[in-house]
């Protein structure tokens, strides 16, 4: 089973949360902040579920959000939740937190963490190549913004955006804990590594040691980029973009030793930041309720050696990604068809413990090929009642999986809403040649229901 370790940078996020709570008081005077409290229950409904002893978890959550279309200086989208009796499932998602300063009718500065449409392919498939992802639940990832300074110029038929930053925040994955050399079985979304490994032709139990990186060394990384869009948004339009930045996943190296006295293997895991350059292009055409297009991206990782010689470490290949799509939307109902194809992007390993017949410790993309159809609704029942929902079906013949996802919100009034989510997975076996994140969670079929109150 492949193992993808994503350090949660919990100390840093806790510090950020404390700072946010301190700042929200005075800053709220400059923005109309909407706060929503949530009570919900997460249930794992597959008969084969075995990731944790419990199959049902109760949460208390909150979201603080500003109107994205207002002209206020402060913008934010921050959500968090506490799982009763399951601290590894607690989460904090700071997807946006920035200030904006409009210089004139055409120029705007943004400072902070902000989501941007860098590339249609990356945003549509939630790959996390350009922008990082909140992957508390890897079957339903959410985009998070890049952090830095943005300068945007809006003209009638083109838009230019420049970005630079000395800061970097990677994907925010499931929390994990190591106790007495073993990963604690407390988070159903964290895929534990094998409990035994073959070292020097001996199959042995494993004690894991995780070398937690210095948070300042991880965060203080430079990046820059630009995006140019031109044409008519209601007709033919094109967009090109480029960034040079750290990858949103950390590279994982490992080293193993055999403790003859205890007949155990000791495996050290070490994360490292690696850079890549991204070049993307989108071409879209819109006529009435129909919008169609094609999006492509070239992902070129640096070939620098970032690990010491003793570490078995990943080697990343260049990748080309392409996705054609077509969508129809009349404001109440919508349907989307899209296809994804990734060429290259393989991960190989180099070092003493590397084995060409075994899957690498990490992957770069959740899958290599897929098709998806999605149905959307934003139906108004009158008297403040509205149903907002999305149902999608994703199929991959190459990676041998089917994924059904449903998210819905039924607004009962201006204050109360019912919320729900569901993910259902069917997948074939993982092999050295078929690595994908979806099949790792084949037994994690999930149903979430709850209520939300706005004040």
């Amino acid at each position: 089973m492949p193992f993808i370790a994503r350090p949660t940078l919990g100390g840093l996020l806790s510090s950020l949360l404390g700072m946010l709570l301190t700042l929200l008081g005075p800053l709220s005077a400059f923005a109309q902040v909407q706060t929503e409290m949530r009570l919900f229950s997460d249930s794992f409904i597959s008969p084969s579920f075995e990731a944790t002893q419990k199959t049902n978890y109760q949460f208390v959550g909150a979201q603080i959000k500003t109107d994205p279309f207002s002209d206020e200086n402060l913008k934010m989208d921050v959500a968090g939740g506490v799982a009763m009796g399951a601290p590894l499932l607690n989460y904090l998602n700071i997807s946006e937190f920035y200030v904006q300063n409009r210089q004139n009718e055409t120029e705007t500065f943004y400072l902070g963490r902000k989501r941007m449409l860098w590339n249609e392919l990356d945003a549509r498939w939630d790959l996390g190549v350009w922008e990082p992802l909140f992957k508390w639940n890897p079957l339903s990832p959410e985009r998070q913004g890049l952090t830095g300074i943005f300068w945007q110029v809006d003209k009638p038929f083109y838009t230019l955006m420049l970005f630079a930053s000395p800061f970097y925040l990677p994907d925010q994955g499931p929390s994990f804990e190591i106790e007495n050399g073993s990963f604690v079985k407390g988070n159903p979304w964290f895929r534990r590594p094998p409990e035994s490994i073959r070292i020097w032709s001996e199959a042995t139990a494993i004690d894991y040691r995780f070398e937690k990186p210095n948070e300042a060394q991880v965060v203080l990384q430079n990046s820059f980029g630009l995006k140019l869009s031109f044409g008519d948004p209601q007709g033919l339009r094109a967009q090109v973009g480029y960034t040079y930045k750290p990858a949103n996943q950390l590279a994982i190296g490992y080293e193993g030793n055999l403790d003859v006295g205890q007949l155990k293997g000791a495996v050290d895991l070490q994360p490292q930041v690696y850079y890549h350059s991204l070049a993307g292009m989108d071409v879209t055409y819109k006529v009435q309720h129909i919008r169609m297009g094609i999006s492509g991206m070239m992902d070129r990782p640096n070939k620098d050696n970032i690990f010491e010689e003793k570490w078995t470490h990943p080697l990343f290949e260049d990748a080309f990604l392409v996705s054609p799509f077509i969508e129809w939307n009349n404001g109440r109902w919508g349907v989307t068809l899209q296809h994804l194809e990734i060429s290259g992007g393989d991960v190989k390993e180099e070092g003493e413990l590397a084995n060409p017949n075994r899957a690498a410790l990490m992957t770069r993309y959740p899958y290599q090929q897929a098709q998806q159809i999605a149905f959307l609704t934003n139906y108004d029942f009158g008297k403040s009642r509205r149903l907002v929902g999305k149902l999608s079906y994703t199929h991959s013949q190459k990676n041998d999986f089917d994924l059904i996802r449903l998210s819905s919100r039924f607004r009962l009034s201006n204050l109360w809403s019912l919320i729900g989510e569901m993910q259902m997975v069917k997948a074939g076996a993982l092999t050295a040649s078929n690595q994908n994140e979806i099949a790792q969670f084949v037994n994690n079929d999930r149903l979430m229901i709850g209520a939300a109150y706005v004040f």
Side-chain angles (χ1 to χ4, degrees):
M1 178 184 295
F3 164 52
I4 303 173
R6 296 186 180 89
T8 58
L9 301 178
L12 174 65
L13 291 175
S14 298
S15 299
L16 286 173
L17 178 60
M19 180 185 69
L20 286 174
L21 294 176
T22 302
L23 292 175
L24 280 178
L27 287 176
S28 62
F30 300 95
Q32 294 295 321
V33 178
Q34 176 180 287
T35 303
E36 179 179 89
M37 297 297 297
R38 299 171 181 171
L39 294 173
F40 58 96
S41 175
D42 245 348
S43 299
F44 293 92
I45 57 179
S46 171
S48 304
F49 178 78
E50 56 182 15
T52 54
Q53 293 180 349
K54 293 180 61 177
T55 60
N56 183 269
Y57 298 88
Q58 284 71 46
F59 289 81
V60 177
Q63 183 179 29
I64 304 172
K65 189 175 183 179
T66 54
D67 183 355
F69 302 106
S70 70
D71 291 328
E72 295 168 336
N73 292 331
L74 177 65
K75 299 288 186 178
M76 71 183 78
D77 187 354
V78 180
V82 175
M84 304 301 180
L88 285 180
L89 285 172
N90 297 346
Y91 66 89
L92 171 65
N93 178 14
I94 307 174
S95 58
E96 286 193 306
F97 193 86
Y98 65 94
V99 292
Q100 64 180 12
N101 183 5
R102 188 175 297 277
Q103 301 293 299
N104 50 53
E105 292 184 357
T106 62
E107 294 183 40
T108 307
F109 280 97
Y110 306 96
L111 178 63
R113 187 168 215 187
K114 177 173 173 56
R115 289 188 296 250
M116 287 275 190
L117 184 60
W118 286 93
N119 180 263
E120 287 249 5
L121 182 154
D122 192 43
R124 285 176 168 275
W125 291 96
D126 294 320
L127 296 184
V129 181
W130 224 294
E131 293 182 315
L133 294 176
F134 175 67
K135 301 187 76 171
W136 175 83
N137 171 1
L139 293 182
S140 184
E142 300 176 34
R143 289 169 53 209
Q144 296 177 320
L146 295 177
T147 303
I149 185 168
F150 306 79
W151 177 60
Q152 183 165 309
V153 178
D154 293 294
K155 296 292 185 179
F157 287 99
Y158 79 87
T159 297
L160 173 66
M161 195 275 293
L162 301 179
F163 163 77
S165 176
F167 302 111
Y168 155 71
L169 293 175
D171 284 351
Q172 189 178 339
S175 299
F176 62 88
E177 183 180 357
I178 298 177
E179 190 174 283
N180 298 324
S182 299
F183 284 86
V184 175
K185 195 176 182 181
N187 189 338
W189 297 115
F190 177 72
R191 309 312 296 172
R192 297 184 302 157
E195 296 180 355
S196 64
I197 192 171
R198 186 169 294 275
I199 301 178
W200 300 332
S201 301
E202 294 288 339
T204 67
I206 302 175
D207 277 343
Y208 285 98
R209 296 191 296 264
F210 182 76
E211 291 195 8
K212 185 178 179 181
N214 182 286
E215 292 172 351
Q217 291 179 348
V218 172
V219 170
L220 297 178
Q221 303 285 342
N222 297 323
S223 57
F224 63 88
L226 62 88
K227 184 182 72 168
L228 176 63
S229 307
F230 47 91
D232 183 2
Q234 301 304 314
L236 181 63
R237 189 169 179 84
Q239 174 176 290
V240 293
Y242 174 83
T243 64
Y244 180 74
K245 58 182 286 295
N248 295 322
Q249 288 186 353
L250 298 179
I252 304 297
Y254 61 98
E255 179 190 21
N257 297 288
L258 181 62
D259 187 335
V260 179
Q262 299 185 14
L263 295 179
K264 278 190 174 184
V267 175
D268 296 318
L269 303 172
Q270 183 189 80
Q272 292 282 5
V273 177
Y274 73 97
Y275 275 75
H276 64 162
S277 60
L278 298 170
M281 182 172 184
D282 305 330
V283 178
T284 61
Y285 180 71
K286 188 175 187 299
V287 54
Q288 296 182 347
H289 300 308
I290 298 176
R291 184 172 180 264
M292 65 189 74
I294 185 168
S295 177
M297 183 197 315
M298 177 63 76
D299 183 358
R300 298 174 61 90
N302 274 12
K303 302 303 188 287
D304 298 339
N305 191 357
I306 57 176
F307 288 93
E308 297 178 6
E309 185 177 353
K310 67 176 183 177
W311 294 96
T312 299
H313 58 272
L315 300 174
F316 304 111
E317 293 185 353
D318 296 349
F320 177 71
L321 302 82
V322 64
S323 177
F325 61 89
I326 184 170
E327 59 188 18
W328 173 87
N329 195 316
N330 68 355
R332 284 190 171 186
W333 307 96
V335 61
T336 299
L337 290 169
Q338 54 189 10
H339 174 82
L340 173 68
E341 196 75 39
I342 301 178
S343 301
D346 293 336
V347 181
K348 299 180 180 180
E349 289 186 338
E350 181 180 72
E352 182 181 350
L353 300 180
N355 185 343
N357 299 319
R358 185 182 63 216
L361 200 62
M362 61 175 294
T363 58
R364 288 171 58 198
Y365 309 109
Y367 36 80
Q368 294 289 118
Q369 176 266 344
Q371 302 85 38
Q372 184 183 97
I373 181 170
F375 300 94
L376 304 93
T377 184
N378 187 5
Y379 194 81
D380 188 357
F381 291 90
K383 295 183 179 180
S384 301
R385 295 182 179 180
R386 180 182 296 272
L387 175 64
V388 179
K390 180 178 180 180
L391 172 65
S392 68
Y393 168 65
T394 306
H395 168 76
S396 175
Q397 182 175 357
K398 182 176 182 178
N399 296 119
D400 191 18
F401 73 80
D402 297 278
L403 171 63
I404 297 175
R405 295 189 296 187
L406 171 67
S407 62
S408 63
R409 172 184 289 264
F410 183 55
R411 195 172 71 186
L412 302 173
S413 67
N414 290 330
L415 300 178
W416 287 98
S417 298
L418 299 177
I419 55 177
E421 292 181 6
M422 181 184 71
Q423 291 103 38
M424 304 284 287
V425 179
K426 178 183 177 183
L430 290 167
T431 64
S433 59
N434 176 30
Q435 295 299 307
N436 66 87
E437 286 192 7
I438 306 303
Q440 295 181 41
F441 302 100
V442 66
N443 295 323
N444 281 32
D445 294 343
R446 168 184 178 251
L447 176 65
M448 183 276 281
I449 55 174
Y453 178 77
V454 176
F455 60 92

